[in-house]
Amino acid sequence: MTLSIKTKHNVLSALILLALAAGAIVYLSLQFTRMWTPDPVYEGKNPSVKEVRRLSDYNENLKGSKGDTNIYVIEGDEPGDSMLILGGVHANEPAGMLAAVYLVENLHPKAGTVYVIPYTNEAGFTCNDPLEASPMFFSIDTPTGPRQFRFGARVTNPVCQWPDPDIYVHASSGQRLAGSETRNLNRTYPGRTNGTFTEQISYGLVQLIKAEDIAVTIDLHEASPEYQTINTTVAESRAMKVATTGRFNMDWDGITMSVEQSPTTFHGLSHIELGTWTDTLALLMETSNPSQGREHGLTGSDLVIYGKDKFYARVKAAVGLKDSDYSEEYGRPIQQRVARHITAINAYAAAYTEEFANAAAAEDKLTAFTSMGLGASSYPDSDGHIIYEGRRGVIDLGELPSYDTLCTDLFDYLAIPEGQN
Amino acid sequence: MVVTIIYLAIIVFLLFFIIWNMFTEKDIMLQIDAALVIIPLVLRLLLIK
Ligand SMILES: [Zn+2]
């Protein structure tokens, strides 16, 4: 049976309904387009930020598009090598973005240059994933007032790249994946200059790494508590030594981190492709984030910030969980997830220096190599490390708060400057 | 892109008939159905969602 209400004044009712629909369209448009405005990042707080570039400086096709994004250049007091931090490759994994924002506003490197991109897939921050009931924003309490951030989608906004193919074929390998992965920035490396919108973003990042001779690239992610690579660093083969040395140093501080080598048969991922197509040492890290899994309850901003979920606690009690010390009482607060990322970034910078500082002294070896007619811009040292001409083997991020301090006081470091709140 | 223009043209085509139908339909419930369908189609036409 269908409900039916006949009317003789159908034109009048149609006009009223049209007006209501127009009102709804205006209201929803204003809501959805709020996500098109980038979150403010207060780089002015940090005198070490010497320059703000754009990704379109490295791939001009992105100019004026939703894919263009800020690159913050943070310079150390002394010369050293360059590091690239990628936050927000997946815009629904906020700890990576927030860790990057923290670095832009607070990092004072001692040696080397750190390039930080908090919103690497800016176009992913302009919408939500469908059918997830995710919040569009979440807000943290800083000493100078609440500060709002966008909570975006895993993939590029379909408004920017459409339609999806049935099967996504990765350009340089021919690997076949589900069609929607064509908009997943962490499946499109190394990208193509004339490729899809998302491939163009990957391509811009590859050009940045090549142009600035980025020695270490760290891609920040989060995953659900049942996912096998949470609390793990995935490293391309050349970066394995840095990853394992950094991991052991973190062990001393009581932070558990597993290390895995990049798969050689799975293409499009940042670590494997950047490691293959550029001279960077490529790493990717994941923290545990209950708002991403399939088992959690209501997907609100509280879940994104505090990570307290009774259903995950039940899953752990019933069948166990990869995130083995998960509890509903403590949850997985975003401060802790960001603290993990920052502590690990610092540990890997230190590990890089530990592994490669001797390389600076190997300048003689380079001369020997070139005089042998090898003309190499890179060469192995006695420990088997690949040394690149012109690199100093030093990245020193300077003084950073301890992991425990960040776990409790992170939001203090993200305060909005007076007059801008 | 050509495919986007075709896609938008299809939306305009559908919207025209849905609104036409809304004004000629005597059943208020079906008019409400039409009004609801208009909302996502216009958001898509404007490339907002
Ligand atoms: Zn991710």
Side-chain angles (χ1 to χ4, degrees), chain A residues 143-369:
Chain A
T144 47
R147 181 167 176 182
Q148 185 177 269
F149 295 91
R150 290 168 297 167
F151 184 89
R154 177 176 172 78
V155 293
T156 301
N157 192 336
V159 163
C160 303
Q161 184 182 329
W162 184 91
D164 290 347
D166 291 335
I167 293 169
Y168 161 52
V169 181
H170 177 251
S172 58
S173 68
Q175 169 187 270
R176 292 149 76 89
L177 292 170
S180 63
E181 295 288 73
T182 191
R183 287 181 285 119
N184 182 347
L185 181 55
N186 201 26
R187 297 294 180 276
T188 53
Y189 292 101
R192 286 185 293 173
T193 175
N194 56 349
T196 63
F197 181 79
T198 310
E199 284 175 325
Q200 299 264 358
I201 300 169
S202 303
Y203 181 78
L205 295 165
V206 168
Q207 297 312 305
L208 159 69
I209 290 167
K210 287 181 172 174
E212 308 305 337
D213 188 27
I214 303 290
V216 181
T217 301
I218 305 184
D219 187 3
L220 305 177
H221 287 256
E222 299 202 85
S224 53
E226 68 271 29
Y227 196 66
Q228 63 174 13
T229 56
I230 53 158
N231 299 337
T232 298
T233 297
V234 188
E236 198 268 329
S237 60
R238 285 183 298 114
M240 277 300 281
K241 244 183 154 166
V242 165
T244 46
T245 305
R247 174 221 175 279
F248 280 118
N249 292 345
M250 271 182 273
D251 243 11
W252 289 108
D253 299 329
I255 303 167
T256 321
M257 178 73 86
S258 315
V259 171
E260 269 183 35
Q261 188 167 329
S262 301
T264 50
T265 49
F266 189 5
H267 291 278
L269 302 159
S270 63
H271 41 93
I272 180 72
E273 303 296 349
L274 296 176
T276 303
W277 295 85
T278 77
D279 291 340
T280 201
L281 304 183
L283 307 158
L284 178 149
M285 290 192 277
E286 308 251 21
T287 59
S288 167
N289 174 6
S291 75
Q292 275 179 261
R294 289 274 69 88
E295 321 295 342
H296 63 73
L298 180 70
T299 325
S301 62
D302 275 1
L303 183 61
V304 171
I305 299 166
Y306 305 110
K308 294 182 181 179
D309 187 80
K310 68 177 172 192
F311 298 101
Y312 264 112
R314 269 197 225 168
V315 169
K316 189 190 147 193
V319 292
L321 203 56
K322 176 75 207 303
D323 188 354
S324 57
D325 25 271
Y326 184 78
S327 71
E328 194 193 343
E329 297 71 42
Y330 183 67
R332 275 289 164 255
I334 200 161
Q335 294 98 315
Q336 188 205 31
R337 284 141 54 200
V338 170
R340 267 194 82 88
H341 276 333
I342 293 173
T343 308
I345 289 167
N346 197 20
Y348 292 133
Y352 174 80
T353 308
E354 202 173 307
E355 292 292 319
F356 288 96
N358 293 335
E363 201 68 34
D364 304 343
K365 281 189 209 164
L366 177 67
T367 319
F369 249 69

Side-chain angles (χ1 to χ4, degrees), chain A residues 4-5 7 10 13-14 162, chain B residues 1 23 25-28 31:
Chain A
S4 172
I5 306 169
T7 175
N10 60 318
S13 56
W162 184 91
Chain B
M1 236 166 54
F23 276 89
E25 179 59 55
K26 306 277 187 219
D27 185 339
I28 290 184
Q31 285 185 319

Side-chain angles (χ1 to χ4, degrees), chain A residues 3-11 13-15 17-18 20-22 24-25 28-29 32-33 35-36 66 126-128 157-159 162-163, chain B residues 1 3-5 7-8 19 21-36 38-44 46-49:
Chain A
L3 189 56
S4 172
I5 306 169
K6 299 285 186 206
T7 175
K8 283 177 182 158
H9 307 289
N10 60 318
V11 173
S13 56
L15 281 171
L17 285 166
L18 197 61
L20 287 172
I25 288 162
L28 291 169
S29 300
F32 291 137
T33 52
M35 293 186 82
W36 294 5
K66 284 194 177 76
T126 59
C127 67
N128 273 151
N157 192 336
V159 163
W162 184 91
Chain B
M1 236 166 54
V3 67
T4 305
I5 293 164
Y7 175 65
L8 296 178
I19 294 171
N21 179 258
M22 197 165 103
F23 276 89
T24 51
E25 179 59 55
K26 306 277 187 219
D27 185 339
I28 290 184
M29 296 313 284
L30 291 176
Q31 285 185 319
I32 292 172
D33 282 354
L36 285 171
I38 287 169
I39 297 170
L41 283 177
V42 173
L43 288 172
R44 190 45 70 91
L46 300 173
L47 294 176
I48 283 171
K49 197 69 181 171

Side-chain angles (χ1 to χ4, degrees), chain B residues 4-19:
Chain B
T4 305
I5 293 164
I6 297 170
Y7 175 65
L8 296 178
I10 293 170
I11 293 173
V12 172
F13 178 80
L14 282 174
L15 269 172
F16 175 79
F17 284 106
I18 290 164
I19 294 171

